């Protein structure tokens, strides 16, 4: 976005009454663009609609439709696979056709999927509806996430505001939706509407999202036109001039870690280069490090329920621990990311976050039972959530530094797809540990994010950190 003439740049000095020059705070440093606000509101609405249904799906399948336990697990696994496993498809389509048609198609499919699920009564129709719901997310989520990352980079360039701030708002909005969605579903169930009412409410939320994006989301050519004038001049310059202009060390690091055959940025639409992304060593290392986090995070649904049941004799308190996790993110994500973005590099935030996650698993056998026996589980939730708040914005902020801009959608989808496949294998392996002695089980689980932290050490430091903090004035 080209700044208006009346707005001083981040580096523009201002004279005080004595003529002394002062560094002026960028006027846009804490004012995301309307498009960024749209994307953040989108993430909030997506999760409200989704989590109004998901927490009650297993009970509906088992109790309402009488499915066997193994079949309920299969249906839930298919939903996860059709979403995370196909993120790379949504990312590739975003790079090819732009975010607008992909987001609109995903919203339309989610509306149809929830409507179908509301009235599905057989195993075949339930599976079809669940697959449709998952594939819808595989379309719109990579489109929205890659646009958020792209806009965060532009906002950082225009204002000096570290990109992690924007991505933290994006993550916090998603967690707020994950907290409000189940409340909406619970309210509908208490009012006697049942699972069908929750599904229809989810459809209505996505209908609103579809209408809003059809009205407000820019077309692909308008998205490309938001490039600053300096970038448009550079795109018209010869390649030799562009190479000379990419002098900062951060750019040289990014170019060095890019795949050797990756084409230069041109700003023009092109088919995504799958080979350039999947032979990019630095990006694949990021995927593996991020996968270790997702394998660990999945233990909230696998190992934590077992721990709560062991400590209290039931899983009744599990919902309170999930609420604790969501509230922590809503309350602390933005200030924590603002602190980390100004003081440490993205790679350091990623490594630290993974180490904190590992500490959460190590703390379970070391924490005394306490009131109700929930302290070990609460320690795991708090530390895992704190680690998540550090590492997720950092990991997403590193992606634009490792791949070409025109491959950002594909790379964003690939990050989730590779991690989703890792979770499939990791869940089977960690599930086998449930019968192992507690010290062995929790030590093995702690080793997973620790291994990810070691991999993250080999990544480029990334933009932001102290250098970005020096450019941006604290709010």
């Amino acid at each position: 976005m080209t700044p208006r003439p009346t707005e001083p740049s981040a580096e523009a000095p201002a004279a005080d009454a004595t003529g002394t020059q002062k560094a002026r705070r960028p006027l846009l440093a804490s004012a995301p663009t309307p498009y960024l606000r749209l994307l953040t509101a989108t993430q909030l609405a997506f999760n409200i609609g989704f989590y109004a249904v998901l927490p009650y799906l297993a009970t509906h399948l088992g109790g309402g439709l009488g499915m066997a336990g193994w079949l309920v697990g299969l249906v839930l696994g298919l939903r996860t696979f059709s979403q995370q496993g196909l993120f790379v498809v949504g990312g590739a389509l975003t790079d090819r056709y732009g975010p607008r048609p992909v987001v609109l198609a995903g919203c339309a499919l989610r509306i149809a999927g929830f409507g179908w699920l509301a009235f599905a009564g057989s195993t075949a129709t339930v599976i079809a509806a669940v697959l449709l719901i998952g594939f819808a997310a595989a379309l719109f989520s990579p489109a929205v996430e890659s646009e958020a990352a792209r806009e965060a980079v532009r906002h950082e360039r225009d204002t000096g505001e570290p990109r992690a701030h924007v991505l933290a708002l994006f993550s916090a909005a998603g967690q707020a939706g994950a907290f409000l969605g189940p409340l909406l579903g619970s309210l509908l169930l208490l009012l006697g509407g049942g699972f069908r009412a929750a599904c229809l409410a989810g459809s209505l939320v996505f209908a609103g999202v579809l209408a809003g994006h059809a009205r407000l989301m820019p077309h692909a050519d308008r998205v490309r036109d938001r490039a600053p004038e300096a970038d448009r001049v550079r795109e018209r310059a010869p390649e030799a001039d562009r190479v000379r202009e990419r002098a900062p060390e951060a750019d040289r690091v990014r170019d060095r870690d890019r795949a050797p055959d990756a084409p230069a940025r041109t700003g023009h639409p092109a088919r995504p280069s799958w080979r350039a992304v999947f032979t990019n060593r630095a990006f694949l290392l990021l995927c593996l490090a991020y996968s270790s986090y997702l394998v660990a995070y999945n233990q909230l649904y696998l190992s934590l329920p077992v721990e709560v049941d062991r400590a209290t004799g039931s899983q009744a308190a599990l919902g309170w621990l999930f609420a604790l996790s969501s509230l922590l993110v809503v309350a602390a994500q933005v200030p924590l990311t603002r602190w980390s973005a100004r003081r440490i590099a993205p790679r350091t935030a990623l490594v630290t976050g993974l180490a904190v996650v590992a500490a959460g698993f190590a703390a379970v056998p070391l924490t005394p039972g306490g009131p109700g026996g929930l302290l070990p589980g609460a320690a795991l939730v708090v530390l895992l959530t704190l680690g998540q708040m550090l590492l997720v914005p950092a990991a997403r902020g590193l992606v634009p530094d490792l791949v070409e801009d025109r491959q950002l959608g594909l790379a964003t989808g690939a990050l989730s797809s590779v991690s989703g496949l890792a979770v499939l294998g990791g869940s089977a392996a960690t599930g086998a540990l449930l019968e192992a002695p507690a010290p062995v089980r929790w030590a093995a689980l702690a080793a997973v994010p620790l291994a990810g932290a070691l991999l993250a050490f080999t990544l480029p430091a990334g933009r932001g950190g102290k250098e970005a903090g020096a450019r941006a004035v604290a709010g």
Side-chain angles (χ1 to χ4, degrees), residues 265-321:
R265 292 175 187 244
T266 63
H268 300 296
R271 294 182 181 275
S273 175
W274 293 68
R275 184 170 182 267
V277 170
F278 287 103
T279 58
N280 185 327
R281 177 180 176 274
F283 175 71
L284 292 179
L285 287 174
L286 175 63
C287 288
L288 291 176
Y290 194 74
S291 296
S292 71
Y293 149 69
L294 280 184
V295 170
Y297 187 81
N298 195 56
Q299 300 311 308
L300 289 179
Y301 307 100
L302 185 60
S303 296
L304 180 63
V306 174
E307 170 63 23
V308 171
D309 187 68
R310 182 201 64 77
T312 66
S314 74
Q315 296 186 10
L318 194 59
W320 291 102
L321 294 178

Side-chain angles (χ1 to χ4, degrees), residues 8-14 21-26 156-160 470-472:
S9 65
E11 291 79 12
Q21 299 293 318
K22 292 182 179 180
R24 173 167 297 197
R25 173 178 178 163
E156 176 185 69
R157 181 178 53 208
D158 292 344
T159 68
R471 292 195 303 268

